[in-house]
Amino acid sequence: MKRSWMAVLCLVLAGCVRVGGGQTGENREVTDSADTVKQVMTCTSEAGSYEFNAQGDQVTKSVQTESVSFEELGLEQGADAAKIEEAITRVLAESYGSLEGVDASGAVKDGRVEMTVSIDYETADHQALIDAGLLEPGELDSQYVSLERTQSELQSQGFACRVG
């Protein structure tokens, strides 16, 4: 059962954001005003939602929320909600608890399991995020998570995204 929990959680919480949009070796002497604009992007689908905070094109924080039914986790509807919540929190802590800049939690809400993963990209180690499956590698010369590339990737996966 633990193996199936881990498989489901890995699938549910697999990151869709992509490292990309970094400088291509050229030094930028002039600061573009678009680089300093704070932006918030929200992407939603039936599978869940993402919220991204960005400074220009550079994502600084993301929050991913997924809602999964008990059946999808291989649990009976009448299972003890407190024990399920405790197990989810334990599995998330084991999977992501050692990652700096990552906070993961799970809770039982309205007969479903709601899992949330928050990532602070300013403090997190990008390679550790890639190794944990929370971030997909992009261009090799990239130095940050690109809001534009993330939006394109999520929209190609069926998410509706709104920047505002």
Side-chain angles (χ1 to χ4, degrees):
M1 170 121 163
K2 185 174 182 174
R3 187 175 281 176
S4 65
W5 272 81
M6 288 301 293
V8 169
L9 288 175
C10 287
L11 289 173
V12 169
L13 297 174
C16 294
V17 296
R18 178 180 299 273
V19 177
Q23 297 179 15
T24 59
E26 298 177 14
N27 290 331
R28 296 177 99 185
E29 294 180 17
V30 178
T31 302
D32 189 353
S33 63
D35 291 343
T36 61
V37 175
K38 291 184 179 182
Q39 300 185 75
V40 176
M41 179 175 73
T42 305
C43 297
T44 58
S45 78
E46 290 181 13
S49 67
Y50 286 92
E51 181 175 295
F52 298 93
N53 294 328
Q55 187 78 24
D57 185 51
Q58 184 173 349
V59 174
T60 57
K61 182 178 181 179
S62 71
V63 178
Q64 175 185 1
T65 304
E66 300 282 340
S67 181
V68 182
S69 71
F70 289 147
E71 293 80 24
E72 289 172 296
L73 293 174
L75 302 171
E76 295 178 20
Q77 184 66 22
D80 183 348
K83 287 184 180 181
I84 292 170
E85 194 168 316
E86 181 182 308
I88 292 166
T89 301
R90 184 180 65 252
V91 169
L92 290 172
E94 289 171 2
S95 300
Y96 306 117
S98 65
L99 296 174
E100 184 177 349
V102 177
D103 182 40
S105 63
V108 177
K109 292 185 179 178
D110 300 324
R112 296 181 64 82
V113 177
E114 186 173 286
M115 293 177 277
T116 303
V117 177
S118 176
I119 303 172
D120 180 348
Y121 293 100
E122 295 177 324
T123 60
D125 177 342
H126 288 194
Q127 187 58 52
L129 294 176
I130 291 169
D131 294 344
L134 292 172
L135 187 64
E136 292 182 15
E139 297 176 1
L140 296 177
D141 62 349
S142 300
Q143 301 299 313
Y144 64 89
V145 177
S146 167
L147 185 67
E148 184 178 327
R149 288 179 184 266
T150 300
Q151 180 177 7
S152 295
E153 181 71 23
L154 288 172
Q155 286 176 328
S156 73
Q157 295 177 17
F159 283 80
C161 297
R162 179 180 51 86
V163 179

